[in-house]
Every structure is written in C-alpha cells, then in structure tokens.
C-alpha cells in the first residue's frame, strides 16, 4: 500500500501479539460469552448450569429491588455528576486564570490517588454521628447530630458528596488541560476590548472547551454508573435499600445469594447502558482531536 | 505551558478568586489532616479530644499496633480488638500486586501496540478492532465469569489469581500505545531496517526508548488504579497471606465493633494506605499531572 517494498511480518507479529491475545481471549472474550450464557441459566456456582430461557430477564423486570437499584443509581449519578462537573469547571477556570503551579495541581490530584476504601473510611469517621468532626462542629452551634449514613434521606447525598470530593480534582485537571489548549491571544484580545472575566468565560472558555467538557462528562458518567467501593465500605446498600446501587445489587445477587444467572442478567442490563456511553466516548475522543488540533 | 502568561495584577476580583482557590485547597487537604491527626491520638482521648487541630497527647501506638509491632495485651490496652494486624505485610502485597501488573501489562501492551501500528500482517485491522471492542465490555460483566474461572483453575487466594485478569492486557493501554507508535517518525526505523535489524531489534532498540514518556504515563496510571483495586482482590484474595491494603482495611472495619469502631487504629491504617501514593505524588507528581493531559484530551 505504500512506496516501500511490501513486507510481511506475519511470524514476528504473532509473537508480539501473543500475550495480549491470550489475555484478551481468556479474560475478556471467553468470560463475556460465558456471562451471556449464565444470564439464560439457573447457575448458582454449585450446580451445573441448565438453560432456562429468558426467565432471569422476566424475573428481573418484575423485581422491585432491581428497579429500586436502577432508580437509586440514577439519583446517585445526577447528584454526583451534577455537583462534580460544576465544581470542576469552576476550579479549572480559577486555575486557568490564576496560576500554572504544578504543586497546586498535584494537591488537587491527591484524593484521586487514594483508594476509595480509604476515602470511605475517612469520611465515615469525619461524619460519624457521635464523635465525627462535622457533628461535633454542628453540636457547638446547637445543631444535629445528623446521621449522615444512617438517615434514609441523607445517605445517598452523603455518598455522592464523598465521591464528588474524591473525583472533582481529577475532573478539574482534565478540564484545565483542555483550557490550556485555548490560544492565549483570544483572552488578551478580549481583555483589550474591555471584556470582564465572566464574559470571557462565557464567550471564549465555555464554547472552546465543549469537546473536552463533553468527553470529561462521559468519562465521569461511566465511572459514576459503576459506583461500588464507597458504598460497600460505608452504607452496604442501606439504610433499608436507600443506597443499593445496581453494582451492589449485582454483587449481592452473585456473591451473597449465589444467584449467578440472575446476577449475570442484571449485569447485561448495566453493560448495555455502559456500552452506549462508551460508544459515545469513542466518538468524542475522535471528535475532540479534530476540534482542537 | 506553551509560554502562556497569567496576569499578575491584584485587584478585588483576583483576590476573591484566590480566596476561593484557598478554600478548595483546604477542603482537599483537611480530611487527610484529620486522618493523620486521629491516627496520632490515643484511643482513650477520642471522646474528649475531637475538635482541636492537633492531638493533646500525640502517640505512635496506633501505627505500631496496625503494623503488628505490639503484643495482644498492648493492643487491647490501646483500643484495639486484640486481633493481630499486619499492615506491613499488606503493604508489601499491594506493592507486589501493583508492580507486577504495571510492569508486565505495560510491556505486553507496548508489544501489541507496536505490532498494530507498524508490522504488516493479514487481518491486522480486524484483530485490532476486536481487541478494542473489549473497551465496551464493563468490568462487572467479566467479573462474575472470571471469578468462576479463577476458582476452577484453583487460583483462589493466590497472587497469580489476583493479577491474572489485568496482567496481560487492558484494551485501553493497547489503544493508547498504538496511537503513540503511529505518531513516531518512520525514518529512524527505516534506517534501522537498512542496518539489518528485524522487528524485535527495532522494537527494543528504537521504538521502546523513544516512547519513554507514554510508557511511564501508562505505567503510572496502571499503578494508581491497581492500588485502588478493591472488589476483585476482595473476591479472590481474602486470605491473610495475599491480602492487599484495601481489602485489609475493609476487613479491619468489619472486625471492629459497629457501635464503637476502633477509629484511631482505622485512621492509622488508612494513613499507611495513603503514604505510598503520597510518595508517588512527591517524586513523580509532575509526570502524573502531565499524564492527565495525555490520557484526557489526546
């Protein structure tokens, strides 16, 4: 296809690809097919799976717990993505207009580097009903105590807030990296024309950041739908099932009740949602390159 | 970056902006401060000494007991449940886990990325498309069958079983490194071919050394994600011998009484789980920060 003489690296190529192809076949391809198969069987990890048709799926759409899980996940995604994106956009803009400090950026990245389990524990302690710092603080002004994790109304906003705290810095840095690609002369020109910061944000930053913003949003959405660790540590799906998100629902079905087939069917649902989001992400990845380069 | 300048004039608006920035930094750092502060507080003080920024009677006992350096009696006296903890060993397990995955996955994905970018063989683009399609398969979907697979292979509670699914590849790393190899200038490689180098020679002597930046980016990102791993190691590596820090923290919380958790011990253990990534941030923070520009917008 090109001007150099045609080469065939067939033999070398398969050696280059061997580890990845084995990894792909054994831990992606095969389990994906097996997962689909489980979803139409009555597998419990102790029996030999036998085919039950669409039974798991029809049970699933009649299962209140499943609908609750979808609803609760949706509520979490709205709370988390909403607050995280707005805050990150604000922080990125502040940084972009104020400083290029690497130390500052590294500090903002810190919560992202820490395991979710640690973050869950940390906030469980900070928000503890009896001895936690925040309830002690509320106490000194005569309020509370608030059962951040034990109150049905508060539990989900609390979990969403914790993850917003953990991932806002990371998202802000992604947006900030996007802002650095915007040519500086646009701001200088606008400034000479007497435009204020707010005007510059609305007329320059926001429109030119759109591809990066869309990408960051989809990446956060994909992560948000898969929330598990924080809930597994702090609320375990409770109180009642106020924080029983879809991932936790699948986990319980599979590893607590051993309804492997049923759990696999629920995982197919989640995979469909995430598959659509990932397809959008891949499109945006391509789009953002052509837009800014 | 790129010679951009920031206006340095201080006016009321900029003053407010800096004030907001400082609030953000404080909100980021304070929870970590409180974690370390609690870890340095004697368990007995926790009911009375819980608002000040520094502990009234600082102590290292909590760190000693979660590292397994105290006797059972001392442990109980300091507020522990008496269960022997060994976070030193869990840290070592976590470091081995992350190191193994980051090193091998990066190497194997670089090899494949290079083959997809540069070598010519029938079916190349089709195979690449199939591998990349795995990006669409969410982890939860392969998690259940992989668990059954690892169980059937008799690898439960072994390091091999824990690292298996991510040791050889992730679709993203293959995708990312292929993109990079595509952007390498061809002339150096062509000169090397004329010098009689085969594909391996070019890969090892030319392509890999030229891709230090992206390789470090992928390696570091892999380390960070592996360090945070929880659900998979929880399912296949609960045993004391191979327990990772994250799993150990979860177990520690479970063993701690619900009504009166061992907060000072838990915070000491949490601090230990943050320490390695903090060191990473101190030594390669600049790289990590720059890696976001790479993986995020490129």
């Amino acid at each position: 296809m090109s001007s150099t003489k045609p080469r065939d690296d067939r033999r070398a190529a398969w050696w280059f690809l061997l580890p990845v192809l084995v990894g792909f076949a054994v831990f992606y391809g095969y389990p994906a097919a097996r997962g689909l198969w489980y979803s139409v069987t009555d597998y419990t990890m102790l029996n030999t799976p036998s085919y039950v048709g669409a039974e798991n799926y029809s049970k699933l759409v009649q299962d209140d717990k499943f609908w609750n899980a979808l609803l609760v996940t949706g509520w979490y995604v709205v709370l988390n993505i909403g607050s995280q994106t707005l805050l990150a956009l604000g922080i990125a803009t502040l940084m972009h207009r104020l400083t290029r400090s690497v130390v500052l950026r590294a500090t903002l990245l810190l919560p992202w580097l820490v395991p979710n389990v640690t973050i869950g524990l940390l906030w469980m302690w900070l928000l503890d009903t009896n001895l936690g710092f925040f309830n002690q603080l509320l106490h000194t002004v005569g309020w509370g105590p608030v059962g951040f994790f034990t109150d049905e109304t508060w539990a989900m906003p609390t979990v969403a807030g914790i993850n917003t705290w953990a991932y806002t810095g990371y998202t802000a840095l992604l947006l900030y990296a996007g802002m650095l690609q915007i040519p500086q002369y646009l701001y200088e020109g606008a400034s000479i024309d007497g435009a204020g910061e707010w005007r510059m944000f609305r007329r320059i930053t926001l429109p030119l950041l759109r591809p990066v913003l869309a990408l960051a949003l989809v990446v956060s959405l994909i992560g948000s739908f898969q929330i598990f660790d924080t809930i597994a540590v702090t609320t375990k799906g409770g109180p009642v099932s106020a924080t029983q998100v879809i991932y936790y629902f699948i986990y319980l079905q599979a590893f607590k009740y051993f309804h492997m087939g049923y759990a696999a069917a629920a995982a197919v649902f989640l995979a469909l949602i995430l598959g659509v989001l990932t397809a959008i992400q891949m499109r945006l990845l391509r789009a953002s390159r052509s837009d800014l380069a | 970056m790129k010679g951009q300048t920031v206006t340095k004039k201080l006016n009321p608006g900029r003053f407010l902006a800096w004030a907001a920035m400082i609030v953000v930094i404080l909100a980021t750092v304070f929870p970590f401060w409180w974690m370390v502060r609690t870890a340095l507080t004697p368990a007995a003080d926790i009911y009375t000494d819980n608002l000040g920024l520094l502990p009234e009677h600082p102590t290292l006992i909590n760190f000693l007991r979660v590292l397994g350096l105290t006797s059972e009696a001392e442990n109980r006296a300091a507020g522990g449940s008496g269960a022997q903890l060994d976070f030193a060993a869990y840290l070592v397990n976590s470091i081995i886990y992350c190191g193994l995955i980051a090193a091998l996955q990066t190497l194997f994905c670089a090899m494949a990325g290079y083959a997809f970018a540069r070598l010519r063989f029938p079916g190349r683009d089709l195979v690449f498309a199939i591998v990349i399609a795995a990006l669409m398969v969410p982890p939860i979907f392969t998690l259940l069958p992989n668990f059954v697979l690892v169980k059937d292979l008799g690898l439960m509670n072994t390091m091999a079983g824990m690292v298996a699914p991510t040791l050889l590849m992730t679709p993203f790393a293959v995708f990312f490194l292929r993109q990079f190899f595509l952007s390498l200038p061809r002339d150096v490689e062509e000169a090397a071919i004329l010098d009689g180098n085969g594909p391996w020679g070019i890969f090892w002597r030319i392509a890999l050394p030229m891709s230090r930046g992206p390789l470090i980016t992928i390696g570091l990102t892999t380390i960070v994600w592996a360090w945070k791993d929880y659900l998979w190691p929880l399912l296949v590596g609960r045993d004391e011998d191979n327990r990772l820090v994250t799993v150990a923290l979860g177990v520690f919380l479970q063993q701690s009484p619900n009504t009166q958790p061992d907060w000072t011990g838990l915070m000491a253990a949490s601090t230990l789980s943050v320490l390695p990534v903090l060191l990473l941030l101190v030594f390669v923070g600049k790289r990590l920060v720059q890696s976001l520009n790479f993986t995020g917008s490129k």
Side-chain angles (χ1 to χ4, degrees):
Chain A
M1 257 185 236
S2 72
S3 56
T4 47
K5 62 176 167 120
R7 260 166 47 212
D8 192 340
D9 305 309
R10 197 179 309 211
R11 285 195 34 212
W14 294 114
W15 286 111
F16 271 89
L17 291 177
L18 188 67
V20 159
L21 290 185
V22 169
F24 174 79
V26 178
F27 295 106
Y28 287 86
Y30 175 59
R34 218 175 172 189
L36 272 177
W37 162 241
Y38 286 162
S39 77
V40 291
T41 68
D42 60 356
Y43 190 43
T44 60
M45 255 192 294
L46 301 167
N47 63 351
T48 332
S50 55
Y51 181 71
V52 295
E55 199 184 296
N56 288 323
Y57 291 95
S58 60
K59 256 200 303 191
L60 206 56
V61 291
Q62 287 163 26
D63 187 344
D64 289 344
K65 287 240 166 200
F66 176 67
W67 288 108
N68 173 65
L70 284 180
L71 214 67
V72 162
T73 309
W75 177 223
Y76 167 79
V77 169
V78 169
L79 284 172
N80 173 242
I81 295 295
S83 57
Q84 187 171 305
T85 311
L86 284 178
L87 274 172
L89 190 60
I91 293 170
T93 311
L94 282 178
M95 280 205 299
H96 181 228
R97 303 301 292 149
L98 287 178
T99 171
R100 298 280 176 270
S101 159
V102 172
V103 175
L104 198 89
R105 282 190 267 166
T107 311
L108 284 175
L109 196 58
L110 182 59
W112 177 73
L113 295 167
V114 175
N116 293 324
V117 177
T118 310
I119 286 171
L121 269 173
L122 181 50
W123 282 96
M124 258 179 105
W125 166 227
L126 279 163
L127 299 174
D128 184 65
T129 314
N130 302 314
L131 299 172
F133 178 81
F134 282 95
N135 270 318
Q136 294 290 327
L137 213 58
L138 287 178
H139 183 72
T140 56
V141 294
W143 279 11
V146 179
F148 288 102
F149 294 101
T150 48
D151 185 305
E152 249 182 277
T153 327
W154 277 107
M156 195 44 111
T158 301
V159 171
I162 292 172
N163 280 3
T164 296
W165 176 81
Y167 287 91
T168 294
Y170 175 76
T171 313
L173 289 178
L174 286 183
L175 297 180
Y176 173 80
M179 289 178 185
L180 286 180
Q181 316 248 357
I182 301 174
Q184 185 71 11
Y185 65 79
L186 291 177
Y187 293 96
E188 282 155 12
S191 168
I192 290 166
D193 291 346
E197 287 291 337
W198 175 241
R199 218 180 133 87
M200 286 197 254
F201 174 74
R202 287 204 36 203
R203 293 288 166 82
I204 304 173
T205 311
L206 210 49
L208 287 176
L209 191 68
R210 227 178 44 202
V212 178
L213 190 60
L215 186 64
L217 195 65
V218 178
V219 172
S220 322
L221 266 174
I222 293 173
S224 204
F225 269 101
Q226 302 186 61
I227 172 164
F228 174 81
D229 300 357
T230 317
I231 282 173
V233 173
T234 57
T235 62
K236 299 201 171 11
V240 195
S241 35
T243 59
Q244 205 187 96
V245 289
I246 180 82
Y247 225 93
Y248 203 78
F249 173 84
I250 297 172
Y251 166 80
L252 284 182
Q253 290 297 336
F255 300 105
K256 192 172 173 200
Y257 310 125
F258 301 110
H259 297 155
M260 271 291 186
Y262 196 54
V268 170
F269 260 97
L270 182 59
L272 285 177
I273 299 175
L274 293 170
V276 170
L277 285 173
T278 313
I280 296 173
Q281 179 196 7
M282 299 301 278
R283 281 196 91 98
L284 290 172
L285 263 173
R286 253 171 272 150
S288 78
R289 246 203 325 279
S290 59
D291 232 78
L292 280 168
Chain B
M1 316 260 106
K2 288 188 194 151
Q4 294 188 13
T5 50
V6 184
T7 36
K8 290 270 151 58
K9 220 170 44 201
L10 201 67
N11 55 38
R14 289 184 67 77
F15 181 77
L16 275 179
W18 269 114
M21 200 68 228
I22 289 167
V23 170
V24 168
I25 296 296
L26 285 179
T28 306
V29 174
F30 175 75
F32 292 112
W33 177 273
W34 200 248
M35 168 182 80
V36 177
R37 186 255 189 239
T38 306
L40 295 171
T41 308
D45 282 12
I46 209 148
Y47 297 94
T48 49
D49 175 22
N50 47 25
L51 263 181
L53 282 178
L54 289 170
E56 281 163 23
H57 313 102
T59 170
L60 284 176
I61 184 74
N62 299 310
F63 285 100
L64 295 178
R65 66 193 172 91
V66 296
L67 285 168
L69 298 173
T70 50
S71 68
E72 201 188 313
E74 286 174 293
N75 223 327
R76 274 184 207 285
S81 66
Q84 202 65 25
L85 293 161
D86 192 355
F87 270 82
Y90 310 145
L91 278 169
V92 171
N93 289 340
S94 276
I95 290 168
I96 294 174
Y97 177 82
C98 293
L100 268 177
I101 292 177
L104 291 180
Q105 189 200 92
T106 308
L107 173 67
F108 293 146
C109 291
M111 279 161 53
Y114 183 77
F116 284 132
R118 280 293 198 262
L119 302 184
R120 289 165 209 206
F121 54 98
R124 181 181 72 180
D125 295 342
L126 179 68
V127 176
F128 178 67
I130 294 173
V131 169
I132 289 312
L135 273 175
M136 306 258 228
V137 181
I140 184 76
F141 197 64
T142 44
L143 184 92
L144 313 179
N146 273 338
F147 174 79
V148 177
L149 180 67
V150 164
K151 201 165 73 95
D152 290 347
L153 291 173
L155 293 177
M156 285 297 276
N157 293 312
T158 65
M159 189 54 88
M162 287 156 69
V163 298
T166 37
L167 190 69
L168 297 175
M169 70 146 337
T170 60
F172 179 76
V174 176
F175 172 77
F176 177 83
L177 290 169
R178 172 182 172 267
Q179 288 298 100
F180 178 78
F181 286 126
L182 280 176
S183 72
L184 275 184
R186 273 176 190 273
D187 29 346
V188 192
E189 288 168 72
E190 267 153 26
I193 295 178
L194 295 179
D195 289 346
N197 279 297
W200 279 107
I202 300 172
F203 176 69
W204 282 109
R205 263 168 262 155
I206 316 267
L208 272 193
M210 281 173 87
S211 1
R212 199 170 291 150
L215 289 175
I216 292 176
T217 295
I218 282 289
L220 281 178
T221 322
T222 311
I223 289 179
V224 170
W225 282 111
W227 190 260
K228 293 158 67 145
D229 269 349
Y230 180 59
L231 178 54
W232 178 255
L234 174 74
L235 292 173
V236 301
R238 275 188 83 92
D239 255 21
E240 180 89 36
D241 292 344
N242 291 301
R243 199 177 283 167
L244 302 187
V245 169
T246 47
V247 178
L249 279 172
V251 172
F252 187 6
L253 178 66
Q254 271 170 20
Q255 286 170 347
S256 192
N258 240 337
T259 46
Q260 210 179 37
D262 175 9
W263 287 119
T264 56
L266 282 164
M267 288 302 111
S270 297
T271 305
L272 292 175
S273 80
V274 175
L275 216 53
V277 281
L278 193 64
L279 289 177
L280 204 67
L281 200 59
V282 169
F283 288 109
V284 293
K286 202 163 177 181
R287 276 263 184 218
L288 266 173
V289 165
Q290 282 165 351
S291 76
L292 291 189
N293 306 13
F294 258 126
T295 49
S297 62
K298 290 267 155 144

